[in-house]
Amino acid sequence: MQIWNFTDGQLIIRQDDITALKFDAIVNAANSRLAGGGGVDGAIHRRAGYVELQGACQEIIRTIGSLPPGEAIITPGFNLPSAHIIHTVGPIWRGGTNNEPRLLENAYSNCLRLAHEHAIQTIAFPAISCGVYGYPVKDAARIALLTIQKGLEAELVNEVTMVLHGDTAYTTWIDVANDIL
Ligand code: AR6
């Protein structure tokens, strides 16, 4: 685990299973239908309780139709240690010229904005789009870390934790953070 202190908050990078840890909110790397899936989405559904979480997600989908990439919504955490889940949809990597960087930045910044609106102080992110959606990890880390830094400086939340799954992902994010923060 490594910690960066900013004037108005803290960034923590650690290697763990995001569903096992307790924060005010954890972020889910969802799909536009909020339909559940593999990766961290699957793990969150299993730990939160599939039926309860899908019930809440599909009620939102009935209202909004679908959740576009870069947008975010919030549900309870149900059986998770964390009280809330903020669901966002990262971009699918299609070579980098299809607005992927902007959509990834929006995903992080909209989660932080929504957290602020709900008085959430501590929030944890997985590496959005870095699994099934294929975003190159170093590029994603750079965008994520700079967006999180901005959010902390704007005092949207007090503490942001990036929770990485696996040694390689963790080392990459730490290297990028040491380069740019
Ligand atoms: N804790 C923390 N990180 C995790 C965990 C965990 N328990 N499990 C996986 N990761 P992905 P995406 C990491 O594929 O690329 C789903 O099916 C994983 O190693 O979960 O945004 C959705 O329904 C990777 O680094 O999300 C969508 O259809 C990161 O989480 C689609 O996948 C994100 O990988 C979204 O794809």
Side-chain angles (χ1 to χ4, degrees):
M1 182 188 304
Q2 205 167 312
I3 300 175
W4 285 261
N5 287 302
F6 300 101
T7 334
D8 298 305
Q10 208 171 48
L11 165 66
I12 298 159
I13 301 184
R14 62 185 289 179
Q15 184 186 344
D16 217 315
D17 171 1
I18 201 168
T19 66
L21 305 173
K22 186 174 178 174
F23 302 94
D24 293 343
I26 64 170
V27 172
N28 184 18
N31 54 65
S32 285
R33 292 170 292 114
L34 299 180
V40 73
D41 196 0
I44 288 174
H45 271 80
R46 278 193 296 280
R47 195 90 167 215
Y50 186 87
V51 173
E52 294 96 322
L53 181 52
Q54 267 303 290
C57 286
Q58 293 316 310
E59 198 176 314
I60 291 167
I61 288 298
R62 275 194 290 280
T63 311
I64 65 172
S66 74
L67 186 68
E71 301 295 319
I73 56 96
I74 188 166
T75 67
F78 298 103
N79 297 322
L80 283 174
S82 298
H84 303 278
I85 305 166
I86 294 181
H87 305 256
T88 190
V89 181
I92 298 172
W93 181 259
R94 293 196 176 94
T97 54
N98 293 280
N99 213 23
E100 293 95 332
R102 173 54 63 87
L103 293 173
L104 189 63
E105 180 181 340
N106 289 351
Y108 281 92
S109 61
N110 281 322
C111 288
L112 292 169
R113 181 189 48 74
L114 195 56
H116 184 67
E117 286 168 13
H118 288 263
I120 284 162
Q121 314 269 8
T122 63
I123 183 171
F125 286 93
I128 299 166
S129 286
C130 290
V132 174
Y133 282 1
Y135 211 108
V137 178
K138 273 190 186 170
D139 296 342
R142 190 182 166 79
I143 291 167
L145 292 168
L146 292 175
T147 310
I148 289 167
Q149 182 179 22
K150 265 192 227 161
L152 287 168
E153 283 170 358
E155 297 185 52
L156 294 181
V157 294
N158 286 340
E159 186 194 282
V160 178
T161 305
M162 277 301 316
V163 182
L164 286 321
H165 208 52
D167 291 345
T168 319
Y170 175 73
T171 310
T172 306
W173 281 70
I174 290 284
D175 287 349
V176 174
N178 281 325
D179 256 9
I180 64 175
L181 298 179

